[in-house]
Structure formats: C-alpha cells, structure tokens
Amino acid sequence: MVGENYNKILKKIEESCKRAGRDPKEVTLIAVSKTKPVPMLEQAYNAGARDFGENKVQEIRDKYPVLPEDIKWHMIGHLQTNKVKYIVDKVCLIHSVDSYHLAEEISKQAVKKGCEVDILIEVNMAEEESKFGLFKEEVIDLIKEVALLKNIHIKGLMTIAPYVTDPEDNRKYFKAIKDLSIDIDKKNIDNVSMSVLSMGMTGDYEVAVEEGATLVRVGTGIFGERNYQI
Ligand SMILES: *Cc1c(COP(=O)(O)O)cnc(C)c1O
C-alpha cells in the first residue's frame, strides 16, 4: 500500500510538472514518516524513496541507525537549540530555521563535528499565529546575518501553508514565496542560494509543484493518517 501510494504521488507530481512546463527531475518527493514505524519506511524505501522527513529529533535518532545509509534525512519540524547536536551530522537539510539563535547553534555544532549543514529559512507566508517561521519582511535581514556563519549554507526557503479544504486557496502563498525567493536570489548574497523551495503537503502539493516547489513533503498521502496515541 505504502509503495503504491508513493508511486501514485510521483505520478501526480509528474503531471503537475507537465501542466506547469517543468522538468519532473526538478522536484523531489520527501516521504514524511513522522510517527510511522520502521517497517513502513522500509516499504517506501523499497518503492524507491530515498528522502525522508521527520519533525522530531528523537525519531531521527531512533530511525537513522536502523535504516539504509543512502537515505537522506530531512529535519522539517521546529528545532530546539539544545537538540541540534544530536542531528547536525545526520540530516541532509534542516528546513525549519527561523532565528539567528538557532542558526548560530547549528553553525557551532557543525564546526565542532567538522561537517557542513544545508538549511532553509522557514517563512510563515499566511502569518498564522499558530505557526513557526518568519514573516516575509524579516527574511532578508536574517539571511544576511546567517550567511556569515561558518559551516552553514542557506539553500532556499520553506513554508507550511494553512490547512485548507481547497488547495487553490494556498496558491497565492506559494506564488508569493516563489517571488520572495527570486527577489532574494537577485541580491547575490555570498553563501546564499535560492535553488530550493520546500512547499506542499498531502492536501496541496500539486498546486505547490505548479508554483515552483522543488521539495514536497507528503506524509498522510503515503503512509496514511497518523495516530498520535502510539
Ligand atoms: C507532518 C508534516 C508534513 C506532512 O503532512 P501531510 O499533510 O501528512 O502530508 C509536511 N510538512 C511538515 C513540516 C510536517 O510537519
């Protein structure tokens, strides 16, 4: 079931790319496996998934050693500074950087471990109070400061769009963050690339791909509903 879902979503992404005149190779599907047990991740892996997303440090620490080494782990959830040290050398990308304080700690731990860390800046495009992430007006100042830190590289932007029943309602936010990334790119800041745009989840990834997503984060659509009681 997991494998079938994974392939079905790949196909939908391909179709969205076609509609938007994009090359499907530009888009990577991240299997968001939070709360899901290792055998389910193995099913996705066997279907071809190599990028997995988790939102808790503890879950990455548990799953990392028991799954194949060629998996790329994405930290997509809010990250506390005191936990950075546990994952900084295990993840390929941290999607959720929204403060200088956090970036500074990532840099410090990366220097200590002798690794380089790629990050995205999380933007709260809809300015929802319940969400982490910067308002768009704050993004450029943070980027300029973080760009100066050692062993940390800004690769683009990430957003979590509002929960909506009609994905079309989120198109404006996807368009706006794409525009923001183009504006930032034009500034040619050293150590800053805007090649990655992480947006789109189960409910709205097709619209996100049409608007320029390079990473989509799909959980429920691949693994089914999450049960937080477990
Ligand atoms: C859980 C989660 C997702 C996946 O959500 P689904 O709606 O299950 O696809 C994507 N991004 C982030 C940051 C998440 O925490």
Side-chain angles (χ1 to χ4, degrees):
M1 200 56 193
V2 168
E4 279 167 35
N5 292 342
Y6 178 80
N7 281 309
K8 202 177 74 192
I9 289 165
L10 278 184
K11 192 117 194 52
K12 294 246 183 205
I13 290 171
E14 213 170 285
E15 288 163 10
S16 304
C17 283
K18 222 167 257 168
R19 283 196 296 278
R22 299 184 63 198
D23 182 348
K25 289 195 196 76
E26 291 172 16
V27 184
T28 299
L29 170 57
I30 299 175
V32 176
S33 46
K34 61 190 190 200
T35 78
K36 298 297 175 182
V38 167
M40 286 185 92
L41 277 73
E42 286 168 339
Q43 287 175 34
Y45 183 90
N46 290 336
R50 292 297 178 269
D51 291 81
F52 287 81
E54 292 284 347
N55 69 340
K56 293 231 157 54
V57 166
Q58 190 57 49
E59 262 187 277
I60 295 178
R61 291 181 78 188
D62 290 344
K63 291 169 179 173
Y64 178 91
V66 298
L67 280 151
E69 275 178 21
D70 62 343
I71 285 179
K72 291 192 224 153
W73 295 96
H74 295 255
M75 177 59 193
I76 62 173
H78 183 65
L79 182 54
Q80 289 170 297
T81 47
N82 62 338
K83 294 187 176 163
V84 169
K85 58 178 176 286
Y86 300 119
I87 55 150
V88 81
D89 55 349
K90 294 183 177 63
V91 296
C92 74
L93 186 65
I94 299 173
H95 293 227
S96 45
V97 175
D98 64 356
S99 73
Y100 184 75
H101 182 58
L102 174 59
E104 204 176 24
E105 178 65 13
I106 293 170
S107 167
K108 191 176 122 194
Q109 294 299 332
V111 169
K112 214 173 185 177
K113 295 214 155 73
C115 63
E116 305 286 327
V117 184
D118 290 343
I119 64 155
L120 304 178
I121 302 297
E122 181 172 352
V123 192
N124 181 356
M125 290 307 292
E127 309 197 347
E128 290 177 285
E129 279 186 25
S130 58
K131 293 252 169 81
F132 292 105
L134 299 171
F135 289 169
K136 57 182 182 301
E137 299 77 21
E138 305 169 314
V139 173
I140 191 68
D141 287 344
L142 180 71
I143 285 182
K144 283 179 183 162
E145 285 184 83
V146 172
L148 303 173
L149 292 168
K150 287 188 185 129
N151 296 40
I152 186 169
H153 310 288
I154 299 171
K155 295 294 175 188
L157 306 177
M158 178 270 225
T159 196
I160 303 174
Y163 184 78
V164 289
T165 43
D166 181 0
E168 286 298 330
D169 294 344
N170 281 337
R171 190 180 292 275
K172 57 183 178 291
Y173 300 122
F174 297 143
K175 263 191 210 291
I177 195 170
K178 173 71 186 179
D179 288 346
L180 178 63
S181 84
I182 291 170
D183 288 347
I184 294 166
D185 202 36
K186 281 188 192 143
K187 296 187 196 294
N188 282 314
I189 305 163
D190 265 1
N191 192 28
V192 176
S193 141
M194 282 289 131
S195 56
V196 178
L197 204 46
S198 169
M199 61 188 193
M201 312 185 2
T202 297
D204 56 17
Y205 69 91
E206 291 167 272
V207 175
V209 168
E210 287 170 11
E211 297 303 332
T214 68
L215 297 177
V216 293
R217 311 176 306 263
V218 177
T220 314
I222 297 174
F223 297 105
E225 294 294 336
R226 285 176 290 275
N227 183 347
Y228 285 98
Q229 263 90 289
I230 296 173

